[in-house]
């Protein structure tokens, strides 16, 4: 599961948190939980639907040693920002991190353990592409310290995989899932629906195959035609909104009946098998992002800071010469915090406790109360004691719900 999308940030950082336009001043009483995101930007080839920071491998290959050295230098440069804080999870995403050699991964994780205060029970996730792995490679990744694998299946249908530009087929997908479940106790399978030419029966067939494999976690995404992708430039014919909605209903009902809790917009898990790293994103925790194009969110007594690394691998590698890895920095102003918090927390179907807003933003609950009342009147949010959660209507119209907080 890739890192969450955030609002673009500006090149220059304000010297202090911006609070103009708001009568509130953020005051955090404790640091939120901290995670580490590591971005690995290379893929065998670029998929036509993908708008993430990924780059096809060129003839000269991947500069793995130089990249790992740069990741370590990046981490070291950021240590003063996280000094004394425990890291509760690591997510290595991409791109295709399973292209990394087992020895390289072992070197990277060893370097991380030597430099940060890593929770002994930390969740350490690696994303994998079925076309780049085998059982022996999975075994080596587990020995290196990875304890959760996220496998980008997308579909088990040969025609749909071809339409998506994937480098694997149905047999590869099943073999990769079986190997992952052999070597890891925590496995996520990524599936997509509303694919070009996909019928409801075909979407159901993908679910049946995935459920038969028995992963602990499933991520089911609606295909979207994102800007600046090959699909955006040459759109394929996809199911209409009614057919797509039927597929979404099918996903939710079939996985619910199979014992998977629908705990986040696109995430389903067996009991106590939720992705802890992504839960930290959605509860507005902190995360340090290292690697080409990685984003981070870090809280301190000065406020809450967004950061981004240089996007292109060559530019990121060059940053090691200057030691200036954070290409972009921006403080989150008090007037923005309600939206930033809700953009994450309202993805959680079970909602969030009222106190969490103040704990993670440093603002009193009143700063979001006006927008919340509007959301309740429009049927987007319901209150159960101290818990606020999106209604079914709120989940289906999440963008409209979030817009209410832009003016909070």
């Amino acid at each position: 599961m890739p890192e969450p999308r955030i609002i673009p940030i500006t090149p220059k950082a304000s010297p202090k948190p911006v609070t103009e336009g708001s009568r509130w001043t953020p005051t955090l009483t404790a640091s939120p939980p901290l995670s580490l995101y590591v971005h690995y930007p290379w893929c065998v080839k670029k998929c036509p639907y993908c708008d993430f920071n990924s780059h096809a491998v060129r003839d000269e290959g991947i500069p793995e040693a130089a990249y790992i050295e740069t990741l370590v230098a990046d981490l070291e440069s950021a240590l003063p920002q996280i000094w004394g804080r425990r890291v509760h999870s690591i997510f290595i995403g991409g791109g295709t991190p399973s292209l990394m050699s087992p020895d390289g991964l072992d070197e990277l994780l060893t370097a991380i353990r030597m430099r940060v205060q890593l929770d002994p029970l930390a969740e350490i996730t690696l994303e994998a592409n079925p076309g780049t792995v085998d059982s022996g490679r999975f075994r080596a990744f587990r020995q290196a310290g990875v304890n959760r694998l996220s496998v980008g299946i997308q579909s088990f249908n040969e025609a749909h995989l071809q339409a998506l530009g994937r480098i694997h087929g149905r047999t590869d997908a099943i073999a990769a899932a079986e190997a992952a479940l052999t070597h890891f106790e925590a496995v996520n399978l990524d599936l997509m629906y509303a694919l070009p030419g996909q019928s409801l029966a075909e979407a159901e067939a993908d679910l049946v195959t995935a459920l038969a494999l028995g992963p602990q976690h499933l991520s089911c995404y609606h295909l979207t035609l994102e800007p600046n992708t090959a699909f955006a430039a040459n759109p394929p014919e996809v199911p209409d909104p009614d057919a797509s909605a039927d597929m979404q209903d099918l996903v939710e009902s079939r996985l619910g009946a199979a014992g998977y809790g629908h705990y986040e917009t696109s995430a389903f898990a067996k009991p106590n098998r939720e992705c802890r790293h992504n839960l930290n994103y959605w509860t507005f925790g902190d995360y340090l992002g290292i690697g080409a194009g990685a984003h981070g969110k870090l809280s301190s007594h000065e406020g809450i800071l967004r950061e981004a690394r240089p996007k292109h691998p060559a530019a990121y590698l060059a940053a090691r010469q200057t030691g200036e890895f954070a290409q972009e920095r921006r403080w989150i102003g008090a007037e923005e915090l309600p939206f930033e918090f809700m953009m994450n927390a309202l993805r959680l179907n079970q909602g969030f406790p009222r106190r969490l807003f103040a704990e993670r933003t440093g603002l009193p609950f009143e700063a979001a109360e006006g927008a919340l009342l509007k959301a309740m009147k429009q049927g987007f949010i319901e209150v159960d004691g101290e818990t606020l959660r999106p209604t079914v209507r709120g989940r289906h119209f999440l963008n409209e719900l979030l817009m209410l907080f832009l003016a909070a």
Side-chain angles (χ1 to χ4, degrees):
M1 192 175 300
E3 64 178 325
R5 312 214 180 249
I6 64 172
I7 299 173
I9 59 181
T10 53
K12 297 292 184 180
S14 304
K16 292 183 179 180
V18 179
T19 58
E20 289 82 356
S22 172
R23 60 194 176 103
W24 310 108
T25 300
T27 305
L28 290 170
T29 58
S31 297
L34 177 66
S35 296
L36 174 65
Y37 177 78
V38 182
H39 194 73
Y40 194 84
W42 290 283
C43 288
V44 173
K45 71 171 190 175
K46 183 83 171 178
C47 294
Y49 60 86
C50 178
D51 70 334
F52 290 112
N53 185 35
S54 60
H55 304 263
V57 178
R58 297 185 175 180
D59 293 340
E60 60 268 26
I62 297 172
E64 180 176 288
Y67 193 72
I68 291 173
E69 289 174 2
T70 305
L71 286 171
V72 175
D74 187 357
L75 177 61
E76 288 181 341
S77 74
L79 288 179
Q81 294 174 280
I82 62 169
W83 203 254
R85 297 179 64 182
R86 176 167 290 196
V87 173
H88 296 278
S89 65
I90 300 173
F91 195 105
I92 306 171
T96 307
S98 55
L99 288 172
M100 201 182 321
S101 71
D103 286 344
L105 179 63
D106 182 63
E107 178 186 349
L108 174 61
L109 289 177
T110 298
I112 291 171
R113 291 188 195 97
M114 292 176 66
R115 288 163 175 81
V116 304
Q117 186 179 343
L118 186 63
D119 190 317
L121 300 178
E123 176 189 86
I124 303 176
T125 301
L126 179 79
E127 288 188 331
N129 185 318
T132 64
V133 291
D134 54 36
S135 185
R137 201 171 180 84
F138 279 160
R139 184 186 308 112
F141 290 156
R142 182 67 186 91
Q143 292 171 346
V146 174
N147 55 30
R148 183 177 183 274
L149 206 70
S150 182
V151 187
I153 301 291
Q154 315 312 353
S155 177
F156 294 99
N157 182 296
E158 296 284 359
H160 296 148
L161 288 169
Q162 185 175 4
L164 291 173
R166 303 296 289 174
I167 65 171
H168 67 274
R170 174 183 172 86
T171 300
D172 299 321
I174 293 174
E178 290 176 339
L181 289 160
T182 297
H183 297 292
F184 295 87
E185 293 183 1
V187 174
N188 169 67
L189 301 183
D190 278 353
L191 291 178
M192 300 176 74
Y193 61 92
L195 306 178
Q198 188 179 41
S199 68
L200 185 64
E202 288 169 332
E204 184 171 22
D206 276 348
L207 288 173
V208 169
T209 303
L211 289 172
L213 290 164
Q216 296 80 20
H217 193 287
L218 282 160
S219 298
C220 297
Y221 302 100
H222 186 298
L223 173 66
T224 54
L225 307 185
E226 301 286 357
N228 303 315
T229 63
F231 271 2
N234 187 21
E237 186 174 347
V238 295
D240 63 37
D242 288 340
S244 298
D246 289 342
M247 292 181 192
Q248 181 179 343
D249 291 341
L250 173 71
V251 168
E252 294 177 4
S253 62
R254 286 300 299 262
L255 296 187
Y260 289 82
H262 187 189
Y263 71 99
E264 185 270 341
T265 302
S266 304
F268 301 79
K270 290 288 190 179
N272 302 314
R273 294 297 189 137
E274 296 85 356
C275 177
R276 284 184 275 150
H277 183 89
N278 285 337
L279 277 174
N280 191 44
Y281 289 146
W282 297 321
T283 53
F284 210 50
D286 278 358
Y287 53 99
L288 171 64
I290 62 173
H295 289 78
K297 167 194 168 279
L298 295 172
S299 304
S300 70
H301 66 280
E302 294 180 288
I304 300 175
L305 182 69
R306 291 282 193 198
E307 291 187 332
R309 270 42 179 174
K311 189 171 183 180
H312 197 279
Y316 178 70
L317 289 166
R320 188 181 173 199
Q321 304 304 314
T322 63
E324 294 293 330
F325 290 100
Q327 182 182 46
E328 301 173 352
R329 286 195 175 105
R330 185 176 71 86
W331 295 101
I332 305 175
E335 71 283 358
E336 302 170 88
L337 280 169
F339 174 78
E340 291 266 343
F341 175 87
M342 297 298 174
M343 181 174 61
N344 292 280
L346 288 177
R347 293 178 63 98
L348 294 169
N349 290 347
Q350 296 304 311
F352 61 91
R354 175 178 169 140
R355 59 174 172 74
L356 189 70
F357 178 81
E359 289 176 2
R360 299 296 161 85
T361 66
L363 297 176
F365 189 75
E366 289 77 11
E369 204 162 30
L372 285 168
L373 288 172
K374 291 179 184 177
M376 291 171 63
K377 289 179 180 178
Q378 294 181 36
F380 288 142
I381 285 180
E382 61 187 7
V383 179
D384 181 6
E386 289 296 304
T387 299
L388 293 91
R389 67 172 64 93
T391 61
V392 172
R393 172 177 166 79
R395 296 200 299 269
H396 287 173
F397 296 93
L398 185 59
N399 287 339
E400 288 85 344
L401 166 56
L402 292 175
M403 290 303 103
L404 298 175
F405 294 91
L406 281 177

